Structures are given as structure tokens and as C-alpha cells.
Amino acid sequence: MNSQARRFPKIGCQSSTFQEARINSNLIRTILNRALLLGLLLPAGIGWAQDADRSQDGSAHRLDTMVVTADRVPEQLQGVSQHVTVFSQKDIERSGAETVADLLKSAGIQVYHDGAESYGNEGVVIRGGRSSMHGFDIAGDILVLVDGHRSGSDFLSMLDLNATERIEVIRGPGAVQYGAAAMGGVINVITKRGKQKPAAAIEAGFGSWEAQRYKAAASGQSGSFDFSVFADYFTRNDYKLGNGDNFENSDLGSRTRYTLNTGYNFNPNNRLGIILQGSQIDDAGKGEDASSRYYYYTRQNRDNYSADISYEGSSPSKATTWLARYFQGEVNYDLSRFTKTSDTQLPLSENENRYRGGQAQIGHEFEMARIVGGVDWMAYDFDQSQTGAAASASTQNRAVSDYDSWGAFLIGKLYLLENRNLVISGGLRYDLYDIAVDAEKIKEGLTVFRDIDQDNWTPSIGIAYSPLDLIKLRANYAQAFKMPLPRQLTGYTVMMSTPFIGNPDLKPEKSDNWDAGFDIDYNSFVFSGTFFYSQYEDLIGYETHNVGDSHYSAGKHYWYYNVDEATINGIEIGGRFDVGAYYGLDYTLEPYVSWTHLFEFEDGNGDKLENRSRDSLAFGIVFDSRKIGLIAGLDATYYGDQYTSDNEKLEEVGDATVVDLHLSQRIWKIEDFGEVRLKLKIRNLFDEYYSTNEDSWSPGRSFYFGLAYQY
């Protein structure tokens, strides 16, 4: 390879560099002290606690909570060998979160913004795996599902939290269940369904920087028919940073989102459902891109639409379950970039990405075993181009890609011992991919077409053992993989005036993943801990390549390679203690803490992986009194250190603790006619000056006041 090659092996990032930095021991001690203090406070007096029905889903224990993401069928957390985090409807209501990303960070999951907040690019890091935010879900390491199927995108900001019934997060690989890109984790956003009791809500509010927010919702059930519909609208001008500076080009023209979930229930066990979702971001600014020699600012338009029709059911005994689904959608966006020295617009980047897919599965539970099998199909049509009349028209190009995949999976569980408290699980999946790309460099009239087939086998095995009802021990091994993108396999993409040329011999990125942990669920106290270890290989990066290609003119360009490996390991610790339930009070008072710490996140050369925080820590306290109608919370998020390619800690990214306060007070209530609530939120209470990602400065202190009617 070229001695001057710049290697950028990456995990969930298309142009990443690797860095190394010294550990800030004082900061680590500070984090440990905070976590330890909360850990000591949480279980105080636990030995004398009385039984209390305080589960989020109404069951006696949280380990009895039913989840569907881990094995694609309903099951209790007690028998799941992976670390699964569940956000119930009650969690969402109490959190004060406005976005899915806001909710996830409360569980110690790293959240970052690529661009100004509300620009549309919200990403997460789970166990060192990073979402890509490139517009389609095959590009990153974190797979985002909507109601159990691939959403075609990992744009979390496009999902409406108000329309969400529950969120389930698999921490660690989900490739056996869902295929490519589920290397670091799976986020399943489950939308609300109408219930027998009708409900409706409207909200209007305003906030700092001329922000406006409007929401509306209605749901219900009539006979065999149910429906649930939501819509919201948000707009905001440029915001200020914690140092008082105005962050130019950080405004948002508008963001509109809507969801309709409706269905017909043939009987209690069979339902035909239709889900329509959409979101649109208009004229959103990114802020100044200080790291680029070329761009001063960027404007973006983005829209996302999907339609899903499904038939799900079970036998009267519910021993046999089945599902058939078809879905399709679009993820489109365009970027307008302008030079730093003038208002000259560079070539416009346009992406029109369409997808469609299907699922079919059947499962059966025997006396001591369960088996689930099925097939998945997914097809993407990517139309990406750089066009425009700018002087630098030599960068203009286009590429049309077809990306088709078929997958078959088989997941089994064996229940052992008298109370089925030892569960052994295993799974196997086979995926076949057909990728075709037709690329063109417009100015020179150069074109290339390639059609490439690849396949992959993925296994997993796990064990969950509950020596007592209040504790679960678990261990899991799973492989995971990510397919090369169409433009990485073939095609022609220009970034910052340098062409990137595809390599048809690329192999999938792969990983071997181990974890072991425990979950304690004792009366009002919940605590968990997990150690995880992942070894990545065949990471895709790029380097300079000066040899002419038969399809392109000679000259400097970048060429994609399988160039490196990486090792990631760390711990996840979390707990909460409901003081109100412990003392038998009629309100909830619940401190919580959740911490993810990476011991090692390095490539094969010993360089730190970029855009990963060593520590992601969340802690706070939640208060909920239905009697006086008050919900309140104080939430703190610590954004840990990140590193540069110069082996130094990034001075202006991370290493910040941000505190948010939210209140929702009932001010009027009439029986059978609902209630009116006053809402107050103060984000970044202490006006912290911080960034979660390079060139992505976050807002300073902001206020929001809202008035909501709920029926």
C-alpha cells in the first residue's frame, strides 16, 4: 500500500480517523465518585422493603416485563440472555424527553448531533458501535426498527416520541434476528395503538429563540376497529451557546411529523394493521463547519415516509404465533453547501432513497422449548447525485444503486429445571445480497456498472439463569456483520474535490461479541451490570491511490479497502430505587443512575476510535404524584472525553455535564372531561458550553412553556 496512505478504518462512520489519548485520571475518579455515591444511596434500607406493585407494565417485577425485540416474539425479560433496556409508556411520560435521542441518553447511551440541534442528524453510540446518519440503515452499526421492521434509516429525529408506546433497546448485536448493520445494538420504536378507552390531547408552547411547538393526538377503539393518530410541528431561530455567542445558521425552518396506526381485530388473537408515518424537515441549518476548508455553512431539507401493512396472530392458546408484513418508504434529503469566502453555492447533493421489504415468521412454544423461524426481504433503490451550475462542476457525479437482500433465520430456546429458570438460547441466520451500481462522472462522461453478489452466515448462543426470582445471570455470544455500501463496492463519489472510487472485492465488516452480566429486581430496587467485549475485523477504510482505473482517468483518488481491525470492551451499570414505593407512599420518588464506560476502543494500530466517548453517564431523580398532579424530573448527562488523530483529548468536545429540569403540573381537572397541564422545561440549566461532536455546538440554557389538554 502507498506509504503516504491515510487509513480510516471505521465502525459506523464513512470517513473516520483514529486517535489515542491519555486517560484523564482525575475525571475518571470524579465519575466513579458520582456513580458510587448514587449507588450507595439507591439500595439504602433495601433489606426491609415491602412488596410493592411498582412495575412499569403493571407486573410485580420488571423481569416479568414482556419484550418482543430480542427474539421477535413476545417473551419475558427473565428468559432473555442479552442486555435489553425497555422504556415503557410511563417512562416516556415521566422523562420530559422531546426526542427518542433524549430518552436514550438517560440510559447511559452516548448521544451526539452532527450539525446544529434539530438539524436532523441525531446519532447514538452503543457499545462502541456508531449510527451513521447517512440516510439509510445499512450504513451504521446501530439498527433502528419501527414496530419490528427495518425503518430504512437511522435518523432518530424523524421518529415522533409522542406516537411511541414503548422503546426496546438490545445492547449488543442483533444480526441473527435482523441481519446486517445490527453490530452495536438494535433500537425498536413501537408505536401506540388505540385502546378501548378513547383519548385525545393537544399542546401548544413556545420557548427560547422564538421556538414554537404544536402537538395533537387522538386514539380509541370501536368494536373490532382501533386507531391512534399523532402529529406535531416545531420551528426555531438561531440559538445561543453557553458562552453567550449566537450560533449562526443553526435555525430550523420547520419540522413536521405524523403517525397513524390503525387495525382491525378479527378476534383477540388476530389483527390486520396499517401504519403510516411521515416527517419533514425544511430549511435546517448546520452552523459553521469549522473543520472544512471548503464549506462555510450547509442547509438541508429532509423527508421520510413509510407505509406498513401486517397480519399478526396466534392460536387460542397462544402457543403458536405468526406474522406476515409488507412495508415500503422513502428517505430523501438534499444539502446545499456554500463556500467560506463568498455566497457561492457548491454542487447540490441530492439523495432519493426508496426501500421496500417483507417479513414472514412463525413460532411455536412446546412444554420445554420454543422455536421461531422465518424469512426477511429488503430492497433499496438509492439515487444519489451532486449537481448544480457552480464553477467547480468537475465534482458533479451521480450514482444509482439497487441493493437487494434475502435472509432466513431460526431461533430456538430450551427451558430447563423445574421452574424453567435456566434458559439456553441459540440462533442461526443466512443472508444473501445482490448489489448493483450504475455510476457516472458527469463532466467527463465516465460511467461504470457492476453487479456483485455476497452472502453471510451469522450464529449466536446465550444462557439466562435465575437462581432466585429476584436475580438473573446472563451470558451471550453472537457474531455480527455489516455489508459494504454500494458506493464502497463500486461507483464514483466526490468529497472535498477528491474522488472516492469503489472496490468490488470488499468483504463485509464482521465482529465477534461476548458479554456477561446480571439483573437484580428486588421490590423497589432495580440494578444491572454487564461486561462486554467485541473484536472487529475487515473494517472498511480508504487510502490514496494514484494508479489509473480502467473506468476513470488517472490521478489522485481514494480507494476503499478492508484495512484494519478494532477491539472494544467496557461495562454497563445502571440502577434505580423507588423511595415512594419502598415507604408505601402515594407518589413516586425515584433516583437513578446509568453509566457506560469503555476500557478499550482501539484499532489494530492502537489508535483510539473517533467519535466515541470513553464515558456516558446519566443520573437524576424523578417525582410523580397523581394526587397533586405533578410530574417533575432533574436529569444530568455527562458527555465523556473524545480523542483526536494527534493522540490528544479533544479540548472542546465532551467532558461536560449538562443538567435539564422539567415540570408538568395539572392546573385544572373535571371528571370525565380530562385535565389541563402547564409544562415547563429548562434545558442546560447551568448554561454549559459544550459540543457532542466536532463542529456541532449544542445550545446554551433554554426555556419552554407549554399548555396541554389531555382527555
Side-chain angles (χ1 to χ4, degrees):
M1 293 186 180
N2 192 317
S3 61
Q4 297 180 343
R6 294 179 61 198
R7 293 189 171 186
F8 294 124
K10 72 204 180 320
I11 304 176
C13 180
Q14 301 311 311
S15 58
S16 56
T17 58
F18 296 100
Q19 320 93 10
E20 184 173 44
R22 296 184 298 272
I23 298 175
N24 187 326
S25 58
N26 291 332
L27 179 59
I28 296 300
R29 282 198 296 270
T30 301
I31 297 172
L32 286 170
N33 289 338
R34 291 172 179 170
L36 181 59
L37 176 61
L38 284 169
L40 291 173
L41 290 174
L42 291 178
I46 188 172
W48 302 101
Q50 301 297 315
D51 288 341
D53 183 3
R54 79 298 180 251
S55 169
Q56 297 164 334
D57 65 347
S59 60
H61 298 280
R62 297 194 186 189
L63 289 178
D64 293 334
T65 300
M66 300 297 291
V67 296
V68 298
T69 308
D71 286 341
R72 300 183 49 150
V73 292
E75 62 180 323
Q76 289 184 347
L77 270 176
Q78 191 82 42
V80 177
S81 63
Q82 292 181 277
H83 185 189
V84 178
T85 299
V86 181
F87 297 94
S88 69
Q89 182 60 40
K90 189 172 291 185
D91 290 326
I92 296 172
E93 292 173 355
R94 289 174 172 173
S95 69
E98 288 293 344
T99 67
V100 174
D102 281 344
L103 191 66
L104 294 176
K105 71 183 182 183
S106 69
I109 293 173
Q110 180 190 340
V111 173
Y112 64 94
H113 303 272
D114 179 20
E117 189 180 67
S118 296
Y119 176 70
N121 288 13
E122 291 181 320
V124 297
V125 176
I126 302 177
R127 294 190 176 179
R130 189 173 187 263
S131 58
S132 72
M133 303 181 302
H134 277 256
F136 34 93
D137 60 1
I138 61 174
D141 301 319
I142 309 301
L143 182 60
V144 178
L145 309 176
V146 176
D147 291 291
H149 68 79
R150 302 179 76 103
S151 62
S153 171
D154 55 8
F155 293 149
L156 293 175
S157 62
M158 310 299 273
L159 301 172
D160 190 348
L161 190 60
N162 301 289
T164 301
E165 177 69 28
R166 190 170 77 255
I167 297 177
E168 299 176 2
V169 182
I170 297 178
R171 300 186 188 229
V176 169
Q177 302 96 315
Y178 301 103
M183 301 183 81
V186 178
I187 301 169
N188 189 10
V189 179
I190 301 167
T191 57
K192 288 181 179 179
R193 293 183 181 179
K195 299 178 181 179
Q196 189 170 7
K197 182 179 179 180
I202 56 173
E203 179 179 336
F206 63 92
S208 300
W209 313 303
E210 301 182 28
Q212 298 179 52
R213 189 185 306 275
Y214 306 97
K215 304 177 185 178
S219 63
Q221 184 173 341
S222 176
S224 300
F225 173 75
D226 65 71
F227 76 95
S228 180
V229 59
F230 293 82
D232 74 0
Y233 172 88
F234 177 67
T235 183
R236 192 206 60 237
N237 284 340
D238 291 340
Y239 56 75
K240 289 185 179 296
L241 306 178
N243 64 357
D245 291 344
N246 191 59
F247 193 38
E248 295 183 4
N249 199 50
S250 63
D251 60 314
L252 170 66
S254 67
R255 182 187 66 197
T256 306
R257 299 180 295 198
Y258 59 84
T259 300
L260 169 65
N261 187 338
T262 184
Y264 182 80
N265 302 273
F266 298 99
N267 56 53
N269 298 326
N270 290 268
R271 182 178 186 267
L272 178 66
I274 297 175
I275 302 174
L276 302 177
Q277 285 190 305
S279 63
Q280 185 171 341
I281 291 177
D282 290 326
D283 197 24
K286 184 174 183 178
E288 183 177 353
D289 188 356
S291 68
S292 172
R293 294 173 299 155
Y294 301 94
Y295 307 147
Y296 174 63
Y297 63 89
T298 302
R299 306 296 298 182
Q300 177 178 211
N301 297 302
R302 174 174 290 172
D303 58 75
N304 186 357
Y305 307 102
S306 66
D308 169 5
I309 182 169
S310 64
Y311 173 69
E312 56 185 318
S314 67
S315 61
S317 66
K318 297 189 177 181
T320 303
T321 60
W322 52 82
L323 169 69
R325 167 181 279 130
Y326 173 80
F327 56 93
Q328 66 179 40
E330 295 184 12
V331 183
N332 307 316
Y333 65 96
D334 62 71
L335 303 175
S336 301
R337 294 184 173 95
F338 297 82
T339 62
K340 283 191 172 184
T341 56
S342 71
D343 293 332
T344 302
Q345 181 174 333
L346 298 173
L348 175 70
S349 296
E350 295 180 293
N351 295 263
E352 298 180 0
N353 308 320
R354 293 166 295 278
Y355 64 90
R356 58 196 184 281
Q359 295 175 320
Q361 68 180 57
I362 187 169
H364 184 77
E365 184 162 341
F366 303 91
E367 182 177 356
M368 299 299 293
R370 191 191 68 207
I371 190 168
V372 182
V375 294
D376 296 327
W377 163 66
M378 193 75 177
Y380 301 84
D381 299 320
F382 302 129
D383 189 347
Q384 300 168 289
S385 63
Q386 289 177 293
T387 59
S392 56
S394 60
T395 63
Q396 296 184 20
N397 61 89
R398 63 181 297 273
V400 178
S401 309
D402 294 322
Y403 185 106
D404 295 287
S405 67
W406 287 91
F409 67 92
L410 188 65
I411 302 171
K413 284 199 168 179
L414 185 63
Y415 304 100
L416 302 175
L417 302 184
E418 182 177 357
N419 295 320
R420 296 173 34 138
N421 57 339
L422 175 62
V423 182
I424 299 175
S425 58
L428 184 65
R429 183 183 181 96
Y430 175 74
D431 288 281
L432 178 64
Y433 295 86
D434 180 13
I435 304 168
V437 181
D438 187 354
E440 177 185 10
K441 183 178 180 182
I442 297 174
K443 183 177 180 180
E444 299 181 15
L446 301 174
T447 61
V448 61
F449 176 81
R450 289 193 178 108
D451 194 337
I452 299 167
D453 294 325
Q454 293 193 10
D455 63 351
N456 191 80
W457 287 92
T458 312
S460 70
I461 188 169
I463 184 170
Y465 174 56
S466 300
L468 300 170
D469 288 342
L470 59 88
I471 188 169
K472 178 179 72 171
L473 307 176
R474 48 182 165 75
N476 201 74
Y477 165 77
Q479 292 183 359
F481 70 103
K482 182 170 65 178
M483 293 297 297
L485 299 177
R487 67 176 176 83
Q488 293 173 333
L489 287 166
T490 184
Y492 189 99
T493 304
V494 177
M495 289 185 281
M496 291 181 288
S497 300
T498 303
F500 286 69
I501 297 176
N503 178 0
D505 297 322
L506 284 178
K507 296 181 290 185
E509 296 183 356
K510 293 186 178 182
S511 66
D512 290 285
N513 308 271
W514 297 262
D515 66 66
F518 64 89
D519 301 297
I520 298 174
D521 180 5
Y522 186 72
N523 298 319
S524 302
F525 176 65
V526 177
F527 189 76
S528 68
T530 306
F531 172 80
F532 57 89
Y533 179 91
S534 298
Q535 184 68 50
Y536 289 79
E537 62 181 22
D538 291 327
L539 298 182
I540 299 172
Y542 58 85
E543 61 183 24
T544 55
H545 189 272
N546 292 311
V547 179
D549 183 274
S550 59
H551 298 287
Y552 305 101
S553 60
K556 180 183 176 181
H557 59 265
Y558 287 114
W559 184 264
Y560 290 101
Y561 288 93
N562 294 105
V563 294
D564 215 336
E565 60 185 24
T567 301
I568 301 174
N569 60 72
I571 56 172
E572 297 160 337
I573 297 174
R576 56 182 63 229
F577 175 46
D578 190 340
V579 179
Y582 168 71
Y583 286 108
L585 304 175
D586 60 357
Y587 58 81
T588 293
L589 182 63
E590 189 174 65
Y592 71 89
V593 61
S594 188
W595 179 33
T596 300
H597 174 74
L598 299 180
F599 294 115
E600 185 178 10
F601 51 113
E602 300 175 345
D603 71 352
N605 299 319
D607 297 325
K608 292 289 188 294
L609 304 178
E610 73 165 359
N611 299 317
R612 278 84 170 168
S613 295
R614 180 179 289 280
D615 294 278
S616 297
L617 173 66
F619 55 96
I621 190 166
V622 175
F623 176 82
D624 183 0
S625 172
R626 301 296 175 177
K627 183 177 181 180
I628 64 174
L630 174 63
I631 300 174
L634 190 67
D635 308 289
T637 303
Y638 173 74
Y639 298 92
D641 293 340
Q642 296 186 35
Y643 301 88
T644 71
S645 56
D646 297 325
N647 297 326
E648 295 292 339
K649 182 175 76 71
L650 282 168
E651 294 299 330
E652 297 180 329
V653 177
D655 193 13
T657 301
V658 180
V659 179
D660 300 329
L661 172 69
H662 63 89
L663 302 169
S664 175
Q665 175 63 59
R666 184 178 65 229
I667 59 175
W668 179 65
K669 180 179 180 180
I670 299 179
E671 292 296 332
D672 300 325
F673 289 95
E675 63 183 31
V676 176
R677 285 187 165 270
L678 180 65
K679 295 186 175 182
L680 167 66
K681 297 179 184 179
I682 306 177
R683 303 189 64 179
N684 196 356
L685 181 64
F686 299 111
D687 212 12
E688 185 78 17
Y689 177 65
Y690 74 105
S691 175
T692 61
N693 202 43
E694 286 189 272
D695 308 316
S696 303
W697 293 102
S698 297
R701 181 170 48 242
S702 65
F703 298 87
Y704 172 78
F705 299 91
L707 196 63
Y709 168 72
Q710 301 172 354
Y711 171 74

